[in-house]
């Protein structure tokens, strides 16, 4: 099975083109071409990323070093005071809650998404697979705000769920304005991404390996943990990371569904820039912390997420 | 007569001595019958091959034994126990898969240890047995390699070790050498044969390579369109094929449609559709009707430039092709009746006759078999 992001541990020596080039003159022209080609290919994207990602990030880093800066103030970096603020219990709680929401949503997506992706990728008839996937992606075509409001209608005390429950003479549930509603709403939004990425991995799973595993005495559950999970690990890792990063930065669903005590790190950052607080320095330092956390997650994924050598 | 042989006589071929039995097994896939009423008895310690062209149902039979398929009708028994409702992970068999199906996320050591870890063996016992298996297939130096870093032959060895380390009652081999090049295949054939002799396990191999089946097996079952045509030792299958299909599939042969002329206890005279009169070996079992097929192996045919005295089954013809194959020479003879004969002669003369040379082809009545269609 070939995996797109895997790192083959076999050294693959490629002879340098110069040594194989009989004609020096042609060789020289070739080496110029060799230098220019990648530059020409990289330039558009590189400039885009440099101007719109790297530069703003550096500007935010500069801002994060200025305490109590407001719009219009002179930027005058003076230390890490803003970063110390992040570690105050009240803000640490916000960071922790964001991670909790993101982690929980990732778990919900993984648990709901894996069986679906497995069914589509391994068991559904080949000709239905694309259609089934399309069906799963359909919710992404609506606005995320719309989806959140739809969930409010469903979950609120007089909403769809409770109307059904009371009509069945069952006690009503208080679903809105708590973590459960956040997990439901965000899980719903990000499940399609998870299914798509898992599907790509699961579809490539070699069924003969499961037969081999059963042949060697593994019960279906043992085969799942010892073969299916390791074989689809690239998809599990990539899907989880994508959902985790996105939910960590999402504040629409927590804000609308989670109620008063659902302040997340993104909402806190928003407040520092556009809300009442107007502390750009603190907002920038929070952003840097968020960027750092995500970078670490990606680095861990690259290092440990996929250790399957290519076949 | 010794005591053991007496004991063996008092228990003739009971289930206790059979490792695999198939009783009237049928398998239907989406309306297509892959296996039609197969009966098989495989003895303990035997190297048994199932041979046939692709699509004859031989792999399905192996999968029925392994438990990846369940019979539509009939029964599969392993060591006297019915396996019909036993899943693969509870059967005392291990498979060497055609494509090896090695776990590419595990290294060689872990691939081989897989089955033992499932059984939760003590680590000392596990280590001992994996080392033993590695030694058996001469792969001790590669324990830390991943399957992707191994050659086809090495992967084959790991697949073998992964099955053998579990000490199964029966080892199932699905075209085990199919993916290897000719030279490596010959090497592995010898090793497979050695392994079988040293371990004393029952091997059931599926193959389409008749040479492989002949050289390795104690007994062979030849299959055709879901049915078994003949079961026998390699010599029986080759020397005494029961049907024209078996004669044609195992080795090369010359086949003629013929009709019975006269019949007595020791010989049978027939006449082919082109008018060749031959004296042939009568069939072992009973009446087979007026229409027969006659099979003559190319290496049993003698060629001579002059008419041999007192030869039976002698026919005049002309050399059409002479193909030099090193150890052998392959001739195509066109007889005056219009029939073509393929003849294989060992290369002993050095001087080869030219094409179009008039020639006499003759063979003994015992080398000429009358077969059912």
């Amino acid at each position: 099975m070939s995996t797109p992001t895997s790192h083959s541990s076999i050294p693959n020596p490629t002879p340098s083109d110069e040594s194989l080039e009989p004609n020096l003159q042609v060789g020289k022209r070739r080496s110029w071409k060799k230098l220019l080609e990648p530059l020409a290919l990289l330039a558009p994207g590189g400039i885009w990323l440099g101007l719109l990602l790297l530069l703003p990030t550096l500007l935010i880093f500069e801002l994060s070093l200025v305490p109590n800066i407001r719009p219009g103030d002179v930027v005058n970096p003076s230390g890490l005071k803003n970063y110390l603020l992040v570690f105050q219990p009240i803000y640490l709680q916000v960071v922790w809650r964001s991670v909790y929401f993101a982690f929980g949503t990732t778990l919900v997506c993984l648990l709901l998404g894996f069986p679906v992706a497995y069914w589509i990728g391994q068991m559904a008839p080949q000709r239905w697979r694309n259609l089934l996937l399309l069906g799963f992606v359909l919710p992404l075509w609506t606005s995320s705000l719309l989806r959140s409001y739809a969930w409010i209608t469903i979950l609120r005390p007089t909403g769809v769920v409770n109307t059904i429950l009371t009509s069945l003479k069952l006690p009503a549930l208080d679903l809105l304005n708590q973590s459960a509603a956040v997990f439901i709403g965000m899980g719903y939004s990000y499940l399609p991404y998870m299914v798509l990425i898992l599907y790509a991995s699961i579809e490539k799973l070699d069924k003969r390996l499961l037969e081999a595993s059963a042949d060697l005495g593994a019960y279906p559950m043992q085969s799942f943990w010892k073969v299916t999970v390791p074989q689809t690990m690239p998809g599990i890792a990539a899907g989880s990371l994508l959902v985790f990063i996105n939910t960590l930065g999402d504040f629409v669903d927590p804000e609308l569904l989670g109620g008063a005590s659902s302040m997340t790190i993104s909402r806190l950052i928003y407040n520092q820039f556009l809300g009442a607080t107007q502390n750009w320095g603190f907002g920038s330092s929070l952003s840097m912390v968020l960027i750092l956390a995500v970078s670490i997650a990606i680095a861990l994924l690259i290092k440990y997420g996929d250790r399957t050598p290519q076949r | 007569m010794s005591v053991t042989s007496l004991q063996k006589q008092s228990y003739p071929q009971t289930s206790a001595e059979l490792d695999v039995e198939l009783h009237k097994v049928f398998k239907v896939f989406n309306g297509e019958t892959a296996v039609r009423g197969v009966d098989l008895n495989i003895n303990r310690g035997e190297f048994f091959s199932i041979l046939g062209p692709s699509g004859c149902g031989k792999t399905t039979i192996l999968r029925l034994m392994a438990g990846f398929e369940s019979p539509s009708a009939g029964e599969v028994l392993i060591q006297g126990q019915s396996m019909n409702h036993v899943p693969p992970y509870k059967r005392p068999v291990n498979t060497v898969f055609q494509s090896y199906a090695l776990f590419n996320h595990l290294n060689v050591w872990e691939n081989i240890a897989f089955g033992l870890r499932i059984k939760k063996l003590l680590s000392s016992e596990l280590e001992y047995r994996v080392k033993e298996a590695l030694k058996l297939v001469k792969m001790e130096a590669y324990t830390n390699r991943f399957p992707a870093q191994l050659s086809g032959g090495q992967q084959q060895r790991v697949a073998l070790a992964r099955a053998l380390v579990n000490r199964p009652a029966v080892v199932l081999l699905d075209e085990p050498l199919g993916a290897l090049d000719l030279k490596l295949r010959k090497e592995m054939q010898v090793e497979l044969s050695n392994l079988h002799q040293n371990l004393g396990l029952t091997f059931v191999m599926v193959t389409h390579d008749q040479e492989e089946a002949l050289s390795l097996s104690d007994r062979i079952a030849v299959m055709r369109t879901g049915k078994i045509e003949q079961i026998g030792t390699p010599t029986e299958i080759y020397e005494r094929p029961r049907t024209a299909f078996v004669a044609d599939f195992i080795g090369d042969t010359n086949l003629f449609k013929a009709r019975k002329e006269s019949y007595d206890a020791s010989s049978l005279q027939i006449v082919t559709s082109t008018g060749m009169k031959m004296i042939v070996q009568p069939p072992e079992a009973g009446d087979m009707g007026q229409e027969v097929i006659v099979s003559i192996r190319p290496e049993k045919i003698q060629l001579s430039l002059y008419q041999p005295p007192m030869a039976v089954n002698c026919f005049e013809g002309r050399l059409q092709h002479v193909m030099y194959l090193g150890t052998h020479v392959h001739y195509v003879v066109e007889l005056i009746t219009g029939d073509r004969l393929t003849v294989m002669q060992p290369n002993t003369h050095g001087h080869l006759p030219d094409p179009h040379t008039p020639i006499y082809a003759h063979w003994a009545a015992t080398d000429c078999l009358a077969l059912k269609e």
Side-chain angles (χ1 to χ4, degrees), chain A residues 243-296:
Chain A
V243 173
F244 185 82
I245 290 172
N246 275 290
T247 45
L248 199 60
D250 189 1
F251 64 83
V252 177
D253 282 315
E255 181 73 14
L256 292 175
L257 301 169
S261 62
S262 67
M263 170 83 80
T264 58
I265 189 164
S266 329
R267 177 68 187 167
L268 191 61
I269 293 168
Y270 174 88
N271 282 351
Q272 304 313 311
F273 286 97
L274 300 165
T277 335
Q278 295 269 317
N279 184 343
W280 283 21
F282 181 51
S284 301
S285 68
L286 280 170
S287 301
M288 291 312 293
V289 169
L290 194 60
I291 290 168
L292 192 71
V294 169
S295 308
I296 289 171

Side-chain angles (χ1 to χ4, degrees), chain B residues 182-206:
Chain B
L182 187 68
K183 195 159 180 293
L184 202 55
R185 198 153 66 217
K186 297 273 178 226
E187 272 176 45
M188 285 305 290
Q189 278 179 14
V190 174
E191 288 196 28
L192 213 55
S193 180
N194 286 342
L195 277 175
H196 175 252
Q197 273 164 26
N198 296 338
L199 297 172
L201 297 172
T202 306
F203 277 39
V204 182
M205 180 175 78
V206 153

Side-chain angles (χ1 to χ4, degrees), chain B residues 214-227:
Chain B
L214 289 175
S215 62
L216 289 173
S217 320
D218 295 320
R219 283 195 306 152
I220 301 171
V222 183
M223 282 192 73
R224 178 197 192 181
T225 56
K227 280 185 181 160

